[in-house]
Coordinates of all heavy atoms in Angstrom, one line a residue:
M5 N 107.5 136.2 90.1 CA 107.1 137.6 89.8 C 108.2 138.4 89.3 O 109.3 138.5 90.0 CB 106.4 138.2 91.0 CG 106.0 139.6 90.9 SD 105.2 140.1 92.4 CE 104.7 141.7 91.9
S6 N 108.0 139.0 88.1 CA 109.1 139.8 87.5 C 108.9 141.3 87.8 O 107.7 141.7 87.7 CB 109.2 139.5 86.1 OG 110.2 140.3 85.5
V7 N 109.9 142.0 88.2 CA 109.8 143.5 88.3 C 110.5 144.2 87.1 O 111.6 143.8 86.8 CB 110.5 143.9 89.6 CG1 110.5 145.4 89.8 CG2 109.9 143.2 90.9
P8 N 109.8 145.0 86.5 CA 110.4 145.7 85.3 C 111.7 146.4 85.7 O 111.8 146.9 86.8 CB 109.3 146.8 84.9 CG 108.0 146.3 85.6 CD 108.4 145.5 86.8
E9 N 112.6 146.5 84.8 CA 113.9 147.0 85.1 C 113.8 148.6 85.5 O 114.7 149.0 86.2 CB 114.8 147.0 83.8 CG 116.3 147.4 84.0 CD 117.0 146.6 85.1 OE1 116.7 145.4 85.3 OE2 118.0 147.1 85.6
N10 N 112.8 149.3 85.1 CA 112.7 150.7 85.4 C 111.8 151.0 86.6 O 111.5 152.1 86.9 CB 112.3 151.5 84.2 CG 110.9 151.1 83.7 OD1 110.4 150.1 84.1 ND2 110.4 151.9 82.8
A11 N 111.3 149.9 87.2 CA 110.4 150.1 88.4 C 111.1 150.6 89.6 O 112.3 150.3 89.8 CB 109.7 148.8 88.7
L12 N 110.4 151.4 90.4 CA 110.9 151.8 91.7 C 110.8 150.6 92.7 O 109.7 150.0 92.7 CB 110.0 153.0 92.3 CG 110.4 153.4 93.6 CD1 111.7 154.3 93.5 CD2 109.3 154.4 94.1
T13 N 111.9 150.3 93.3 CA 111.9 149.1 94.3 C 112.4 149.6 95.6 O 113.4 150.5 95.7 CB 112.7 148.0 93.8 OG1 114.1 148.4 93.4 CG2 112.2 147.3 92.5
N14 N 111.9 149.2 96.6 CA 112.2 149.5 98.0 C 113.0 148.3 98.7 O 112.4 147.3 98.7 CB 111.0 149.9 98.8 CG 110.3 151.1 98.3 OD1 111.0 152.2 98.1 ND2 109.0 151.0 98.0
H15 N 114.2 148.6 99.1 CA 115.0 147.5 99.7 C 115.3 147.8 101.1 O 115.3 149.0 101.6 CB 116.3 147.5 98.9 CG 116.3 147.3 97.4 ND1 116.6 146.1 96.9 CD2 115.8 148.1 96.5 CE1 116.4 146.2 95.6 NE2 115.9 147.4 95.3
E16 N 115.6 146.8 101.9 CA 116.1 146.9 103.2 C 117.4 146.0 103.2 O 117.3 144.8 103.0 CB 115.1 146.4 104.3 CG 115.5 146.6 105.7 CD 114.5 146.1 106.7 OE1 113.7 146.9 107.1 OE2 114.6 144.9 107.0
V17 N 118.5 146.7 103.4 CA 119.8 146.1 103.2 C 120.5 145.9 104.6 O 120.6 146.8 105.4 CB 120.7 146.8 102.3 CG1 122.1 146.2 102.1 CG2 120.0 146.9 100.9
T18 N 121.0 144.7 104.9 CA 121.8 144.4 106.0 C 123.1 143.8 105.6 O 123.1 142.9 104.8 CB 121.0 143.5 107.0 OG1 119.7 144.0 107.3 CG2 121.8 143.3 108.3
V19 N 124.2 144.3 106.2 CA 125.5 143.7 105.8 C 126.1 143.1 107.1 O 126.2 143.7 108.1 CB 126.4 144.9 105.3 CG1 127.8 144.3 105.0 CG2 125.8 145.6 104.1
C20 N 126.5 141.8 107.0 CA 127.1 141.0 108.1 C 128.6 141.0 107.9 O 129.1 140.8 106.7 CB 126.5 139.6 108.1 SG 124.8 139.6 108.4
L21 N 129.4 141.3 108.9 CA 130.8 141.4 108.9 C 131.5 140.3 109.6 O 130.8 139.7 110.5 CB 131.3 142.7 109.4 CG 130.7 144.0 108.8 CD1 131.1 145.2 109.5 CD2 131.1 144.1 107.3
S22 N 132.8 140.0 109.2 CA 133.5 139.0 110.0 C 133.6 139.4 111.4 O 133.6 140.6 111.7 CB 135.0 139.0 109.4 OG 135.0 138.7 108.1
G23 N 133.5 138.5 112.3 CA 133.5 138.7 113.7 C 132.1 139.0 114.4 O 132.0 139.1 115.5
G24 N 131.1 139.0 113.5 CA 129.8 139.0 114.0 C 129.1 140.4 113.9 O 127.9 140.5 114.3
A25 N 129.8 141.4 113.6 CA 129.2 142.8 113.5 C 128.2 142.8 112.4 O 128.3 142.2 111.3 CB 130.2 143.9 113.3
V26 N 127.2 143.7 112.6 CA 126.1 143.9 111.6 C 125.9 145.4 111.3 O 125.8 146.1 112.2 CB 124.8 143.2 112.1 CG1 123.7 143.5 111.0 CG2 124.9 141.8 112.3
L27 N 125.9 145.7 110.0 CA 125.6 147.1 109.6 C 124.2 147.1 109.1 O 123.8 146.3 108.2 CB 126.5 147.6 108.5 CG 128.0 147.6 108.8 CD1 128.8 147.9 107.6 CD2 128.3 148.5 109.9
G28 N 123.3 148.0 109.5 CA 122.0 148.1 109.1 C 121.0 147.6 110.1 O 121.3 147.3 111.2
P29 N 119.8 147.4 109.6 CA 119.3 147.5 108.3 C 119.2 149.0 107.7 O 118.9 149.8 108.5 CB 118.0 146.9 108.3 CG 117.4 147.1 109.6 CD 118.7 147.0 110.5
F30 N 119.5 149.1 106.5 CA 119.3 150.4 105.8 C 118.2 150.3 104.8 O 118.1 149.4 104.0 CB 120.6 150.7 105.0 CG 121.9 150.8 105.8 CD1 122.7 149.7 105.8 CD2 122.1 151.9 106.5 CE1 123.9 149.7 106.6 CE2 123.3 152.0 107.3 CZ 124.2 150.9 107.3
N31 N 117.3 151.3 104.8 CA 116.3 151.4 103.8 C 117.0 152.1 102.5 O 117.8 153.0 102.7 CB 115.2 152.3 104.2 CG 114.3 151.7 105.2 OD1 114.0 150.5 105.2 ND2 113.9 152.5 106.2
A32 N 116.7 151.5 101.4 CA 117.2 152.0 100.2 C 116.2 151.9 99.1 O 115.6 150.9 98.9 CB 118.5 151.3 99.8
T33 N 116.0 152.9 98.3 CA 115.2 152.9 97.1 C 116.0 153.0 95.9 O 117.0 153.7 95.8 CB 114.2 154.1 97.2 OG1 113.5 154.1 98.4 CG2 113.2 154.0 96.0
W34 N 115.6 152.2 94.8 CA 116.3 152.2 93.6 C 115.3 152.4 92.4 O 114.2 151.8 92.5 CB 117.0 150.9 93.4 CG 117.8 150.9 92.1 CD1 119.1 151.2 92.0 CD2 117.4 150.6 90.8 NE1 119.5 151.1 90.7 CE2 118.4 150.7 89.9 CE3 116.1 150.2 90.2 CZ2 118.4 150.5 88.5 CZ3 116.1 150.0 88.9 CH2 117.1 150.1 88.1
S35 N 115.6 153.2 91.5 CA 114.9 153.3 90.2 C 115.9 153.6 89.1 O 117.0 154.1 89.4 CB 113.8 154.3 90.2 OG 114.3 155.6 90.2
K36 N 115.6 153.3 87.9 CA 116.5 153.6 86.8 C 116.8 155.0 86.7 O 117.9 155.4 86.4 CB 115.9 153.0 85.5 CG 116.8 153.0 84.4 CD 116.2 152.2 83.2 CE 117.1 152.0 82.1 NZ 116.6 151.2 81.0
D37 N 115.8 155.9 87.0 CA 116.0 157.4 86.9 C 116.7 157.9 88.1 O 117.5 158.9 88.0 CB 114.7 158.0 86.7 CG 114.0 157.6 85.3 OD1 114.7 157.3 84.4 OD2 112.8 157.6 85.3
E38 N 116.4 157.5 89.2 CA 116.9 158.1 90.5 C 118.3 157.5 90.9 O 119.0 158.1 91.7 CB 115.9 157.9 91.6 CG 114.6 158.6 91.4 CD 114.7 160.1 91.3 OE1 115.5 160.6 92.0 OE2 114.1 160.7 90.4
G39 N 118.6 156.3 90.4 CA 119.9 155.7 90.8 C 120.0 155.1 92.1 O 119.0 154.6 92.6
G40 N 121.2 155.2 92.7 CA 121.4 154.6 94.0 C 122.2 153.3 93.6 O 122.0 152.7 92.6
D41 N 122.9 152.8 94.6 CA 123.8 151.6 94.4 C 123.3 150.3 95.0 O 124.1 149.4 95.1 CB 125.2 151.9 94.9 CG 125.9 153.0 94.1 OD1 125.6 153.2 92.9 OD2 126.7 153.7 94.7
V42 N 122.1 150.3 95.5 CA 121.7 149.0 96.2 C 121.7 147.8 95.3 O 122.2 146.8 95.7 CB 120.3 149.3 96.8 CG1 119.2 149.4 95.8 CG2 119.9 148.1 97.8
R43 N 121.3 147.9 94.1 CA 121.4 146.7 93.2 C 122.8 146.4 92.8 O 123.2 145.2 92.7 CB 120.6 147.0 91.9 CG 119.1 146.8 92.1 CD 118.4 147.0 90.8 NE 117.0 146.8 91.0 CZ 116.1 146.8 90.0 NH1 116.5 147.0 88.7 NH2 114.8 146.6 90.2
E44 N 123.6 147.5 92.6 CA 125.0 147.2 92.3 C 125.8 146.6 93.4 O 126.7 145.8 93.2 CB 125.7 148.6 91.9 CG 127.1 148.5 91.3 CD 127.1 147.7 90.0 OE1 126.2 147.6 89.2 OE2 128.2 147.1 89.8
L45 N 125.5 147.0 94.7 CA 126.1 146.4 95.8 C 125.9 144.9 95.8 O 126.9 144.1 96.0 CB 125.6 147.0 97.1 CG 125.9 146.3 98.4 CD1 127.4 146.3 98.7 CD2 125.2 146.9 99.6
V46 N 124.7 144.4 95.6 CA 124.4 143.0 95.6 C 125.1 142.3 94.5 O 125.6 141.2 94.6 CB 122.9 142.8 95.7 CG1 122.6 141.3 95.5 CG2 122.3 143.3 96.9
R47 N 125.0 142.9 93.3 CA 125.6 142.3 92.1 C 127.1 142.2 92.3 O 127.8 141.2 91.9 CB 125.3 143.1 90.8 CG 123.9 143.0 90.4 CD 123.6 143.8 89.1 NE 122.3 143.7 88.8 CZ 121.6 144.7 88.3 NH1 122.1 145.8 88.0 NH2 120.3 144.5 87.9
E48 N 127.8 143.2 92.8 CA 129.2 143.3 93.0 C 129.6 142.2 94.0 O 130.6 141.5 93.8 CB 129.6 144.7 93.4 CG 131.1 144.8 93.6 CD 131.9 145.3 92.4 OE1 131.2 145.6 91.4 OE2 133.1 145.2 92.5
Y49 N 128.9 142.1 95.1 CA 129.2 141.1 96.1 C 129.0 139.7 95.5 O 129.8 138.8 95.8 CB 128.4 141.3 97.4 CG 128.8 140.4 98.5 CD1 130.1 140.5 99.1 CD2 127.9 139.5 99.0 CE1 130.5 139.7 100.1 CE2 128.3 138.7 100.0 CZ 129.6 138.8 100.6 OH 129.9 137.9 101.6
D50 N 128.0 139.5 94.8 CA 127.8 138.2 94.2 C 128.9 137.8 93.3 O 129.4 136.6 93.3 CB 126.4 138.1 93.4 CG 126.1 136.8 92.9 OD1 126.2 135.8 93.6 OD2 125.8 136.7 91.7
G51 N 129.4 138.7 92.5 CA 130.6 138.5 91.6 C 131.8 138.2 92.5 O 132.6 137.3 92.1
F52 N 132.0 138.9 93.5 CA 133.1 138.7 94.4 C 133.1 137.2 95.0 O 134.1 136.5 95.0 CB 133.1 139.6 95.6 CG 134.2 139.5 96.6 CD1 135.4 139.9 96.3 CD2 133.9 138.8 97.8 CE1 136.5 139.7 97.3 CE2 134.9 138.6 98.7 CZ 136.2 139.1 98.5
L53 N 131.9 136.7 95.4 CA 131.8 135.4 95.9 C 132.0 134.3 94.8 O 132.4 133.2 95.1 CB 130.4 135.2 96.5 CG 130.1 136.0 97.7 CD1 128.7 135.7 98.2 CD2 131.1 135.6 98.9
Q54 N 131.9 134.7 93.5 CA 132.1 133.8 92.5 C 133.5 133.9 91.9 O 133.9 133.3 90.9 CB 131.1 134.0 91.3 CG 129.7 133.7 91.7 CD 128.7 133.9 90.7 OE1 128.9 133.5 89.5 NE2 127.5 134.5 91.0
G55 N 134.5 134.7 92.6 CA 135.8 134.7 92.2 C 136.3 136.0 91.5 O 137.5 136.1 91.2
E56 N 135.4 136.9 91.2 CA 135.8 138.1 90.6 C 136.4 139.1 91.6 O 136.1 139.0 92.8 CB 134.6 138.8 90.0 CG 133.9 138.1 88.9 CD 132.6 138.8 88.4 OE1 132.4 140.0 88.7 OE2 131.8 138.1 87.8
K57 N 137.3 139.9 91.1 CA 138.0 140.9 92.0 C 137.0 142.0 92.3 O 136.2 142.4 91.4 CB 139.2 141.5 91.2 CG 140.0 142.4 92.0 CD 141.2 142.9 91.3 CE 142.0 143.9 92.2 NZ 143.2 144.4 91.5
Q58 N 137.0 142.5 93.5 CA 136.2 143.6 93.9 C 136.6 144.8 93.1 O 137.8 145.2 93.2 CB 136.3 143.9 95.4 CG 135.4 145.0 95.9 CD 135.3 145.1 97.4 OE1 136.0 144.4 98.2 NE2 134.6 146.1 97.9
R59 N 135.6 145.5 92.4 CA 136.0 146.7 91.6 C 135.6 147.9 92.4 O 136.2 149.0 92.2 CB 135.3 146.6 90.3 CG 135.7 145.5 89.4 CD 134.9 145.5 88.1 NE 133.5 145.8 88.3 CZ 132.5 144.8 88.1 NH1 132.8 143.7 87.7 NH2 131.3 145.2 88.4
R60 N 134.5 147.9 93.2 CA 134.0 149.1 93.9 C 134.1 148.8 95.4 O 133.9 147.7 95.8 CB 132.6 149.4 93.5 CG 132.4 149.8 92.1 CD 131.0 150.2 91.8 NE 130.5 151.2 92.7 CZ 129.3 151.7 92.7 NH1 128.4 151.2 92.0 NH2 129.0 152.7 93.6
F61 N 134.3 149.9 96.1 CA 134.3 149.8 97.6 C 133.3 150.8 98.2 O 133.0 150.6 99.4 CB 135.7 150.2 98.1 CG 136.8 149.1 97.7 CD1 137.4 149.2 96.5 CD2 137.1 148.1 98.5 CE1 138.3 148.2 96.1 CE2 138.0 147.2 98.2 CZ 138.6 147.2 97.0
K62 N 132.9 151.8 97.4 CA 131.9 152.8 98.0 C 130.6 152.6 97.3 O 130.5 152.6 96.1 CB 132.4 154.2 97.8 CG 131.6 155.3 98.4 CD 132.0 156.7 98.1 CE 133.3 157.0 98.7 NZ 133.7 158.4 98.6
F63 N 129.5 152.5 98.1 CA 128.1 152.4 97.6 C 127.2 153.4 98.3 O 127.3 153.5 99.6 CB 127.6 150.9 97.8 CG 128.5 149.9 97.2 CD1 129.6 149.4 97.8 CD2 128.2 149.5 95.9 CE1 130.4 148.4 97.3 CE2 129.0 148.5 95.3 CZ 130.1 148.0 96.0
H64 N 126.4 154.0 97.6 CA 125.4 155.0 98.1 C 124.0 154.4 98.1 O 123.5 153.9 97.0 CB 125.4 156.3 97.2 CG 126.8 156.9 97.1 ND1 127.3 157.6 98.2 CD2 127.7 156.9 96.2 CE1 128.5 158.0 97.8 NE2 128.8 157.6 96.6
L65 N 123.4 154.3 99.2 CA 122.1 153.8 99.3 C 121.1 154.9 99.7 O 121.2 155.6 100.7 CB 122.0 152.8 100.5 CG 123.0 151.6 100.5 CD1 122.8 150.7 101.6 CD2 122.9 150.9 99.1
H66 N 120.2 155.2 98.7 CA 119.3 156.3 98.8 C 118.0 155.9 99.5 O 117.4 155.0 99.1 CB 118.9 156.8 97.4 CG 120.0 157.3 96.6 ND1 119.9 158.4 95.8 CD2 121.3 156.9 96.4 CE1 121.1 158.7 95.2 NE2 121.9 157.8 95.6
D67 N 117.8 156.6 100.6 CA 116.6 156.3 101.5 C 115.6 157.4 101.3 O 115.7 158.5 101.8 CB 117.0 156.3 102.9 CG 115.9 155.9 103.9 OD1 114.7 155.9 103.5 OD2 116.2 155.7 105.1
T68 N 114.6 157.2 100.5 CA 113.5 158.2 100.2 C 112.6 158.3 101.3 O 111.9 159.3 101.5 CB 112.7 157.8 98.9 OG1 112.2 156.6 99.1 CG2 113.7 157.9 97.7
Y69 N 112.5 157.4 102.3 CA 111.6 157.6 103.5 C 112.1 158.7 104.4 O 111.3 159.4 104.9 CB 111.6 156.2 104.3 CG 110.9 155.1 103.6 CD1 111.7 154.0 103.3 CD2 109.6 155.2 103.2 CE1 111.1 152.9 102.6 CE2 109.0 154.1 102.6 CZ 109.7 153.0 102.3 OH 109.2 151.9 101.6
T70 N 113.4 158.8 104.6 CA 114.0 159.8 105.4 C 114.7 160.9 104.6 O 115.3 161.8 105.3 CB 114.9 159.2 106.5 OG1 116.0 158.6 105.8 CG2 114.2 158.2 107.3
N71 N 114.7 160.8 103.3 CA 115.4 161.8 102.4 C 116.9 161.8 102.8 O 117.5 162.9 102.9 CB 114.7 163.1 102.5 CG 115.1 164.0 101.3 OD1 115.3 163.4 100.2 ND2 115.2 165.3 101.5
T72 N 117.5 160.7 102.9 CA 119.0 160.6 103.3 C 119.7 159.7 102.3 O 119.1 158.9 101.6 CB 119.2 160.2 104.7 OG1 118.6 158.9 104.9 CG2 118.7 161.2 105.7
V73 N 121.0 159.7 102.3 CA 121.8 158.8 101.6 C 122.8 158.1 102.6 O 123.5 158.8 103.3 CB 122.6 159.5 100.5 CG1 123.5 158.5 99.8 CG2 121.7 160.1 99.4
H74 N 122.8 156.8 102.6 CA 123.8 156.1 103.4 C 124.9 155.7 102.5 O 124.7 155.1 101.4 CB 123.2 154.8 104.0 CG 121.9 155.0 104.7 ND1 121.9 155.5 106.0 CD2 120.6 154.7 104.3 CE1 120.6 155.5 106.4 NE2 119.8 155.1 105.4
T75 N 126.1 156.1 102.9 CA 127.3 155.7 102.1 C 128.1 154.6 102.9 O 128.4 154.8 104.0 CB 128.3 156.9 102.0 OG1 127.6 157.9 101.3 CG2 129.5 156.5 101.2
L76 N 128.2 153.4 102.2 CA 128.9 152.3 102.7 C 130.2 152.1 102.0 O 130.2 152.1 100.8 CB 128.1 151.0 102.6 CG 126.7 151.0 103.2 CD1 126.0 149.6 103.0 CD2 126.7 151.2 104.7
I77 N 131.3 152.0 102.8 CA 132.6 151.7 102.2 C 133.0 150.3 102.7 O 133.2 150.2 103.9 CB 133.6 152.8 102.5 CG1 133.1 154.1 102.1 CG2 135.0 152.4 102.0 CD1 134.0 155.3 102.5
L78 N 133.0 149.4 101.8 CA 133.1 148.0 102.2 C 134.3 147.3 101.6 O 134.5 147.5 100.3 CB 131.8 147.2 101.9 CG 130.5 147.7 102.5 CD1 129.4 146.9 101.9 CD2 130.6 147.4 104.0
N79 N 135.0 146.5 102.3 CA 136.0 145.6 101.8 C 135.4 144.2 101.9 O 135.1 143.7 103.0 CB 137.3 145.6 102.7 CG 138.3 144.7 102.2 OD1 138.1 143.7 101.4 ND2 139.5 144.8 102.8
F80 N 135.0 143.6 100.7 CA 134.3 142.4 100.7 C 135.1 141.2 101.4 O 134.4 140.2 101.8 CB 134.0 141.9 99.3 CG 132.9 142.8 98.7 CD1 132.8 142.9 97.3 CD2 132.0 143.6 99.5 CE1 131.8 143.7 96.7 CE2 131.0 144.4 98.9 CZ 130.9 144.4 97.5
D81 N 136.4 141.3 101.6 CA 137.1 140.3 102.4 C 136.6 140.2 103.8 O 136.7 139.2 104.5 CB 138.6 140.6 102.4 CG 139.3 140.3 101.1 OD1 138.8 139.5 100.3 OD2 140.2 141.1 100.7
Q82 N 136.0 141.3 104.3 CA 135.5 141.4 105.7 C 134.0 141.2 105.8 O 133.4 141.3 106.9 CB 135.9 142.7 106.3 CG 137.4 143.0 106.4 CD 138.1 141.8 107.1 OE1 137.6 141.4 108.2 NE2 139.2 141.3 106.6
V83 N 133.3 141.0 104.6 CA 131.8 140.8 104.6 C 131.6 139.3 104.5 O 132.1 138.6 103.7 CB 131.2 141.5 103.4 CG1 129.8 141.3 103.3 CG2 131.5 143.1 103.5
T84 N 130.6 138.8 105.4 CA 130.3 137.4 105.4 C 128.9 137.2 104.7 O 128.6 136.1 104.3 CB 130.2 136.9 106.8 OG1 129.3 137.6 107.6 CG2 131.6 136.9 107.4
G85 N 128.1 138.3 104.6 CA 126.9 138.1 103.9 C 126.1 139.5 103.7 O 126.4 140.4 104.5
I86 N 125.3 139.5 102.7 CA 124.4 140.7 102.5 C 123.0 140.3 102.3 O 122.8 139.4 101.5 CB 124.9 141.6 101.3 CG1 126.3 142.1 101.5 CG2 123.9 142.7 101.0 CD1 126.9 142.8 100.4
C87 N 122.1 140.8 103.1 CA 120.7 140.5 103.0 C 120.0 141.7 102.3 O 120.1 142.8 102.8 CB 120.0 140.2 104.3 SG 118.3 139.9 104.2
D88 N 119.4 141.4 101.1 CA 118.6 142.5 100.4 C 117.2 142.1 100.4 O 116.8 141.3 99.6 CB 119.2 142.6 99.0 CG 118.5 143.7 98.2 OD1 117.7 144.5 98.8 OD2 118.7 143.8 97.0
H89 N 116.4 142.7 101.3 CA 115.0 142.4 101.4 C 114.2 143.4 100.5 O 114.3 144.6 100.8 CB 114.6 142.6 102.9 CG 113.2 142.4 103.1 ND1 112.6 141.2 103.5 CD2 112.1 143.2 103.1 CE1 111.3 141.3 103.7 NE2 111.0 142.5 103.4
V90 N 113.6 142.9 99.5 CA 112.9 143.8 98.6 C 111.4 143.8 98.9 O 110.8 142.7 99.0 CB 113.1 143.4 97.1 CG1 112.4 144.3 96.1 CG2 114.6 143.4 96.8
R91 N 110.8 145.0 99.1 CA 109.4 145.1 99.3 C 108.7 145.3 97.9 O 108.9 146.2 97.2 CB 109.1 146.3 100.2 CG 109.6 146.2 101.5 CD 109.2 147.4 102.4 NE 110.1 147.5 103.5 CZ 111.1 148.2 103.7 NH1 111.5 149.0 102.7 NH2 111.8 148.2 104.8
L92 N 107.8 144.3 97.6 CA 107.1 144.3 96.4 C 105.7 144.8 96.7 O 105.2 144.7 97.7 CB 107.0 142.9 95.9 CG 108.3 142.1 95.5 CD1 108.0 140.7 95.1 CD2 109.1 142.9 94.5
K93 N 105.2 145.5 95.6 CA 103.8 146.0 95.7 C 102.8 144.9 95.8 O 103.0 143.9 95.1 CB 103.5 146.9 94.6 CG 104.2 148.3 94.6 CD 103.6 149.1 93.5 CE 104.1 150.5 93.6 NZ 103.6 151.4 92.6
S94 N 101.7 145.0 96.5 CA 100.7 144.1 96.5 C 99.9 144.2 95.2 O 99.8 145.3 94.6 CB 99.7 144.3 97.7 OG 100.4 144.2 98.9
P95 N 99.3 143.1 94.7 CA 98.5 143.2 93.5 C 97.3 144.1 93.7 O 96.8 144.2 94.9 CB 97.9 141.8 93.3 CG 98.9 140.9 94.1 CD 99.4 141.7 95.2
P96 N 96.8 144.9 92.8 CA 95.8 145.9 92.9 C 94.5 145.3 93.5 O 93.8 146.0 94.2 CB 95.5 146.4 91.5 CG 96.6 145.9 90.6 CD 97.3 144.8 91.4
N97 N 94.2 144.0 93.3 CA 92.9 143.5 93.8 C 93.2 142.6 95.1 O 92.4 141.8 95.3 CB 92.3 142.7 92.7 CG 93.1 141.5 92.2 OD1 94.3 141.5 92.5 ND2 92.6 140.8 91.2
G98 N 94.2 142.8 95.8 CA 94.4 142.0 97.0 C 95.7 141.8 97.4 O 96.2 141.5 98.3

């Protein structure tokens, strides 16, 4: 199932750290118009795991459920994994 690039997507993000600590889960909403860094966080971490240098350290996760922004400042050397759970809409007929 493909999600259009400009669609509103609802994410639940959890960050696992070296030593076993866990940050989150954080609700985050992303849309092309509203922004937010939830997609960029996952892309940046994926690139880091593939050998690219970390370019960003600060990510803003916009939570429209509580009307807040979570700011994460991460050093990927200390991150062991990121779970990005995306909530997809149900089909209109079921």
